[in-house]
Amino acid sequence: MRIVEGKKQRDLSPEAFADLASGFAGIALDLGTGDGSFVLRRARTEPGVLCIGLDAVAEAMAESARRARAKPAKGGAANALYVVARAEDLPSELAGRCDAITINYPWGSLLKAVSEPQQEVLAGIAACAKPGARVTLLINLAPFEDPDQRDRLGLNELDAELAEQRLGPAYLAAGLKIGKIDLHLGELPERTSWGRRLVVGSRRKTLEIKSQKSYI
Ligand SMILES: C[S@@+](CC[C@H](N)C(=O)[O-])C[C@H]1O[C@@H](n2cnc3c(N)ncnc32)[C@H](O)[C@@H]1O
């Protein structure tokens, strides 16, 4: 897999990744991590967990990846790892390894993949989860409420009810059972950078979808 270390990138071999992961009690994966600050905060508070931020855009993760390499007293976290990859083509080293997966405020192809949903991409995401792992999504509903924006982005309608009706069976087919669906109005379940940008001081709705990877 391709990893980010500050402004530089390098390949981490499957063996080196397995070796790194073996030193931790679990793996938490944040897909479409953006600037990676959510992962860095989590890594600081959960030192026993390997916290992986993954995004298609390497540059956005550079600053968090640089900070993670500092000494713990200076805010560093050796358990934070930043990976450059697309959700459509996830590193095979992650297959069946993740104890928790988060997807916070996705946009572009990632938003389309989880909201339409695109079965193949969804199955690839689900394949990274261990049996019983939690997969949690936070989706900004604003683009779905505007017909023009929906058309432009090639999205169908989405709200809490449709999430259950339309996404439920598709997620189940990918091995993810949707449990609780919550609608947050102008409040943030997680203070991610984009969550703050989109929601704080607005009345934008965030749809929180909690699902769990099946045991079979
Ligand atoms: C609105 S930002 C959210 C970033 C972060 N999760 C947050 O809440 O601050 C959406 C992120 O999804 C990433 N993204 C979009 N499509 C993707 C894909 N197909 N694979 C991986 N990342 C993708 C973008 O590069 C961007 O960083």
Side-chain angles (χ1 to χ4, degrees), residues 32-34 55-57 85-88 104-107 109-110 192-195:
T33 200
D55 203 285
V57 182
R86 289 173 54 76
E88 293 83 346
N104 298 322
Y105 297 97
W107 75 29
S109 53
L110 185 56
T192 75
S193 296
W194 271 95

Side-chain angles (χ1 to χ4, degrees), residues 10-22:
R10 71 174 172 94
D11 288 322
L12 186 69
S13 71
E15 296 75 27
F17 174 74
D19 193 39
L20 174 69
S22 69

